[in-house]
Each structure stands twice: as structure tokens, then as C-alpha cells.
Amino acid sequence: MITKRIIPCLDVKDGRVVKGVNFLGLSDVSSPVELAKAYSELGADELVFYDITASYEGRALFTDILTEAASKIFIPLTVGGGINTLADFDRVLKCGADKVSVNSGAIRNPSLIGEAAKRYGDQCVVISCDVKRVDGEFRVFAKGGREDTGMEAISWIKHCVDMGAGEVVVNSIDTDGVKGGFDIEMLRAVRKTVKVPVIASGGAGSIQHFIDLFKEIPDIDAGLAASVFHFGEIEIRDLKEKLRENGISVRL
């Protein structure tokens, strides 16, 4: 049985971790360095860092905070935000990231995925897709969920994987921060379409939501969340113990 991963997500803006609802109404949470260190010690399997306004503001991703955080943790780190070129991949990896997440940069230049996979390996390239329902269709959004690309999401994700993305993070804008549960319908559609690991993001509000995720979609690889971990609503060790009690394999 494949061990399921529990992954806290740190959305970083102006050097601080923030969290909103449906990608809007951001509020300050904590220092990303201190939070990363705490999660590493508390049993998180991986961490994801997103510089959430880098693409929208048209600038490079932060590196000083990333370098400091990477030096204090001992679990895999995925980093995204403002990744537009191979030079961006190189810079982030040299700061200590293990994997690089690309979203808006791949939408602008789809060949970036294949170029990065060829240079750094498929396992290093993560396609992160912000998805929202529009007129009954799963639609891809860019620039931190601000811009509707008009592209259908499931076919776009498949295209990215075909080009070399080794992992997929599916961010449901509809359920983000609402804490009503993961978007099972959307995640199931992605899982049926690609063979690489899929990480569910958006909607976790309770331990039961993680149990439901892994029971409803047994071959989903990981659950990602932010505010429920940041504000202590769910303790990672408690979550993993409950998952194990429900027959779900986790690392304790």
C-alpha cells in the first residue's frame, strides 16, 4: 500500500505566510521560516512554498526566505511562484528546493515543462493547476487564480504530464479556504486521466475530510492544506493517527 503524504502549504506574500478564502481576503499568519521548521519537526511529509503574488506582480520569486527555510527543514520542499524560465528553476533549486512548481509560467510557455524535465528530471517538475468551475466546465486560472485562461483543466493537466511533469497539484478555487471538504469530483477526474502522483489541495476543514479524500479516491497520493494546520485546527500527528486507524497508510 502506498503511504499517503500530508503536506502543509505556505502561501507567502511580502515575506509572510498568508491565507484567504477562494484565493481572496488574505490575512497574515506567521513567519515562513519558523512555520516551515515547526512543520518539519511535527511530522509533515513535505512542504510546499508558494510566492503567491510573484506571477501577478511580474517579478522573480523570493530567495532569501527560501534559502533560510530550506536550511532548517529535513523533508522535501516544493517551491512555486514566478517560475517562468529554466533560470528560475535553477535559482530555486540552488536555494534548496527539491521540486519546482510551475503554473502561470507553463501557461505562457508550455515548452518550459519539457525543457525543465529534460534538464532536471521529471521528478523535479510539478504542474500546479488552479481550477474553478465556469459554466459547468473545469477551467484553468492563472496569476494566482485571478485570470481565467479559457482552457479546460483536465486536458491541460494531461498535456502537461505528457510533456514531462512528474507530479500534479490540483488547487480547487471553489473549495479553497471554505473548509467544506476536498473537491472529490474534480480530483477524481484528474486522477483518472494521469498516471503520475496527484496532490489534492483546497477545502480541508477537518480530519474527516482527509479520511474521506483517501477513502473516496484510494489512488490519490497526498492531501495538502494550509489554514487548518496554520491555526492549529488539525495537528498533523493526530491526523496521521486517525488516518492509520481508518486503514490508510501514513508515515508516523
Side-chain angles (χ1 to χ4, degrees), residues 22-78:
N22 303 126
F23 285 32
L24 301 171
L26 300 176
S27 58
D28 184 85
V29 176
S30 183
S31 153
V33 175
E34 293 307 312
L35 208 51
K37 184 172 181 288
Y39 284 136
S40 181
E41 294 169 350
L42 290 169
D45 296 298
E46 298 185 14
L47 278 179
V48 171
F49 263 45
Y50 287 134
D51 186 340
I52 60 171
T53 57
S55 291
Y56 178 69
E57 294 170 2
R59 58 172 171 79
L61 181 144
F62 60 86
T63 53
D64 51 345
I65 293 170
L66 171 57
T67 302
E68 187 179 357
S71 72
K72 295 182 181 295
I73 66 173
F74 302 96
I75 54 177
L77 174 62
T78 298

Side-chain angles (χ1 to χ4, degrees), residues 136-198:
E137 179 181 71
F138 294 133
R139 196 77 62 79
V140 178
F141 277 66
K143 296 183 179 178
R146 294 173 179 84
E147 182 180 288
D148 184 353
T149 66
M151 293 193 299
E152 194 278 322
I154 308 303
S155 57
W156 165 247
I157 291 169
K158 183 180 185 303
H159 180 56
C160 292
V161 170
D162 289 345
M163 288 190 294
E167 190 167 74
V168 178
V169 177
V170 184
N171 307 303
S172 172
I173 297 175
D174 293 321
T175 61
D176 174 72
V178 177
K179 300 181 183 178
F182 289 97
D183 197 325
I184 300 297
E185 180 191 16
M186 182 185 294
L187 293 163
R188 187 176 280 131
V190 175
R191 182 67 279 179
K192 285 181 178 178
T193 304
V194 300
K195 302 299 183 186
V196 300
V198 175

Side-chain angles (χ1 to χ4, degrees), residues 104-134:
S104 295
I107 292 168
R108 281 190 292 271
N109 175 23
S111 64
L112 176 62
I113 296 170
E115 292 167 2
K118 186 175 181 180
R119 179 172 294 187
Y120 303 109
D122 292 11
Q123 79 289 339
C124 180
V125 183
V126 180
I127 181 67
S128 177
C129 196
D130 297 333
V131 186
K132 184 176 182 178
R133 289 168 178 78
V134 178

